Amino acid sequence: MKETLRQSMAWLHTWSGLLLGWLIFAMFLTGTASYFRPEITRWMQPETGQPAALAVAAATAQAHLTRVAPDARSWHIGLPDERQSVMRVSWQPQPKPGEKEVRGRRGRGGGRGMSADLDPGTGAVVAPRDTRGGDFFFRVHYQMHYIPVQYGEWLAGAAAMLMLAAIVSGVITHKRIFADFFTFRPKKAAQRAWLDAHNLTAVLALPFHLMITYTGLVCLMPALMPWGIKTNFPSERAYYAAMFPRYEMPARTGQAAPLMPIPQVIAKAQAVWGGGRPKMIMVENPGDSAARVSVVRHSGDQLAHDGGLLLFDGVSGALLAEPPRHGPAVVTNHVLFGLHMGRFSAPVLRWLYFLSSLAGCAMVATGLVLWTVKRRKNLPDPACPHFGFRLVERLNIGTIAGVPAGMAAVLWANRLLPVGMEGRAAWEVHSFFITWPFMILYACLRPARRAWVEGLALAATMIAALPIVSAITAPNRSLVRSLINGDAAMVAFDLTLLALGAGLAFCAYKAGAYQPAARPVRRRAVHAAAGV
């Protein structure tokens, strides 16, 4: 019989979702956490305070740099936004006589530059613990780890393409896709209940799933389809220089002149942008009549992920240059990039991003489980399945429980490793990649049902206990202290951990309470037993 379009799409949906499903789940979950990347970094650096107003942060940065590096070749100020509590400043010393000038910086001292982390409110130098913070979840989301970045992006691109194929084929496969939005029968047979859960989480945020998958591919386009760049530019550096041009700076004159207050320069930039906010300030020749101030726009200030750079005279404050206007193709690319990153979103929209992405995690997880549930009833002996079935089942358990546990392990390591330990940031990362494979191995050594219960319970405990661990090891970042200080972001962070832990605990409870339906005895088997 000729295969219909829906049947062929069902095959594509099944195998495109399964082939890299475990990697897709990890990418979805780490990407979900990345929407609160600054808040994760704040939580992982309890030595820091609270965010400060933009003008206050700019003034304290200028005061610090004027005091410690008045004759520097250049200053660099990474302005914090309302979600960050640390401000990084750096400066480039004047080259010594006969020394070739090299621009750039290295860490906090020596080499080509110096830098310091400041409290944006007071200007005091702070020394937060060494950590990758939320940046780790963001980077591993699309670059993986322990492998070259290019290979990681290729792997992420392959997973995203399979995910897009699974979504499109799933839409074609389901006859009643919108009716399924209102259908959930948890007390029905296992296959029907899991199918309802899969359909519900898929349809609930279907536009988001399509958008986030397609725009993810667009973000990876330079890595997946580099031929346009290679054809039109001699190097990748030349491409980015054309996209984000910098301006030639005049040489130092030796004539002293006061630098215009940076908050005033920021006000001028905001007037040009119509109220936009800056992310970075670069000052060339501070204290000299040839001073220049470059103001880079915050990439999350608008939907299009395009910072843009304004150049001002550092003494008079006159606007000297604006970035060139991009064509429609570049603007479209920036808009799609901005949609994926979600940095433009206000708090309510950011939470919608987060919840929709959690629905995507549930969609992938229920799809993986559905693969085994659907095929278990057709096994000759469900108690002793073949190797391929056991492999998928164990990978499901180890990944669905192991990735959340691994992410929690990063936060546990952040609180428990000695603050002065060498390589502590690297060991935070290692904890993720130790925990996830451990959970897969554990699932292989235990009966499937017990592995589900114990794995989910362990992940729930690790996540829900984090606010308690934090209160003991970093009292100034405890839930009670955050409530007293009115730190809404950290209060929400701890409450979210408790809610996620409770959700996984509920899943563990349901897995333990599940009673598989008795397998019906086939009539032929009954007759054989009766000797008929």
Side-chain angles (χ1 to χ4, degrees), residues 328-351:
V330 174
V331 172
T332 301
N333 178 273
H334 288 167
V335 168
L336 293 175
F337 197 91
L339 278 171
H340 188 84
M341 301 296 289
R343 291 178 183 168
F344 67 93
S345 54
V348 173
L349 182 56
R350 190 177 305 119
W351 276 103

Side-chain angles (χ1 to χ4, degrees), residues 275-287:
R277 56 193 168 119
K279 177 61 178 175
M280 188 184 306
I281 304 291
M282 295 175 288
V283 181
E284 298 286 336
N285 306 319

Side-chain angles (χ1 to χ4, degrees), residues 29 34 62 74-75 94 112 150 154 200 219 245 307 309 338 342 351-352 358 424 459 468 473 509 515:
L29 197 56
S34 298
Q62 184 174 6
S74 62
W75 295 346
Q94 291 288 349
R112 293 178 291 181
Q150 187 178 41
W154 287 349
L200 179 63
C219 294
L309 185 149
W351 276 103
L352 286 175
L358 273 183
R424 75 181 313 278
I468 301 174
T473 58
Y509 165 75
Q515 294 293 336

Side-chain angles (χ1 to χ4, degrees), residues 92 105 123 142 176 226 228 248 281 351 362 372 382 390 423 434 506 518:
Q92 179 77 38
R105 63 183 177 89
Y142 71 100
R176 303 170 58 252
E248 289 295 328
I281 304 291
W351 276 103
T372 57
R390 294 200 308 272
I434 292 172
F506 176 76

Side-chain angles (χ1 to χ4, degrees), residues 440-456:
I440 295 175
L441 177 62
Y442 184 82
C444 293
L445 299 177
R446 297 286 289 160
R449 185 177 173 187
R450 295 310 308 164
W452 271 118
V453 175
E454 293 160 3
L456 291 171

Side-chain angles (χ1 to χ4, degrees), residues 34 37-38 40-41 44 131-143 343:
S34 298
R37 176 167 45 147
I40 294 174
T41 301
M44 295 178 74
T131 178
R132 293 279 299 276
D135 286 341
F136 164 67
F137 298 123
F138 173 67
R139 295 292 177 185
V140 78
H141 162 66
Y142 71 100
Q143 291 181 343
R343 291 178 183 168

